[in-house]
């Protein structure tokens, strides 16, 4: 009975090319089944709209934050609400004191979060 042994370069080729490809394939298949999914998917004819929701994280402490708001300076949505909440409504109280502002003007608050 004759036995054949494979040369080392063949084993290295398999380890470098085939094994990573199989691991990547397994990773993407598992991510498809267990990974994040859109909250809502809407399909209309040739158009697909996916709604993805991710919690916003407030950035680390900063010297300055520019917040876009309407002329009445009410901080009720988006980044403006995050700034208002981070400062325990101090910024909103200061903004209410100077509101309304004409479009294009700026308000500088001394409140810190």
């Amino acid at each position: 009975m004759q036995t054949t042994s494979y040369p080392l370069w063949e084993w290295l080729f398999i380890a470098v090319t085939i094994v990573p490809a199989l691991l990547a394939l397994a990773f993407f298949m598992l991510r498809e089944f267990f990974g994040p999914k859109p909250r809502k998917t809407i399909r209309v004819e040739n158009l697909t709209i996916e709604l993805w929701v991710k919690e916003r994280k407030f950035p680390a402490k900063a010297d300055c934050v520019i917040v876009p708001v309407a002329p009445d300076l009410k901080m009720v949505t988006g980044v403006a609400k995050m700034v208002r909440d981070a400062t325990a409504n101090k910024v909103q109280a200061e903004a209410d004191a100077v509101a309304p502002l004409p479009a294009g003007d700026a308000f500088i608050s001394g409140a810190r979060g």
Side-chain angles (χ1 to χ4, degrees), residues 4-107:
T4 343
S5 64
Y6 294 101
L8 178 63
W9 69 267
E10 288 183 9
W11 289 109
L12 291 175
F13 176 78
I14 291 171
V16 169
T17 58
I18 297 174
V19 171
L22 291 176
L23 290 175
L25 180 64
F27 169 76
F28 286 116
M29 288 179 67
L30 288 172
R31 192 176 75 173
E32 184 66 29
F33 290 114
F34 301 110
K37 304 266 190 283
R39 171 105 19 125
K40 176 95 174 156
T41 303
I42 300 170
R43 291 184 177 86
V44 180
E45 295 179 11
N46 296 348
L47 178 67
T48 301
I49 299 173
E50 294 180 344
L51 174 65
W52 291 82
V53 178
K54 183 176 178 182
E55 182 181 340
R56 290 185 181 179
K57 303 271 190 230
F58 197 72
K61 299 286 184 185
D63 293 331
C64 175
V65 177
I66 298 173
V67 179
V69 292
D72 65 355
L73 301 180
K74 295 296 180 193
M75 301 177 181
V76 292
T77 60
V79 175
K81 183 177 183 310
M82 289 179 5
V83 169
R84 184 193 72 193
D85 294 345
T87 61
N89 289 334
K90 293 176 196 169
V91 172
Q92 184 64 65
E94 291 181 16
D96 289 341
V98 297
L101 283 180
D105 280 3
F107 159 69

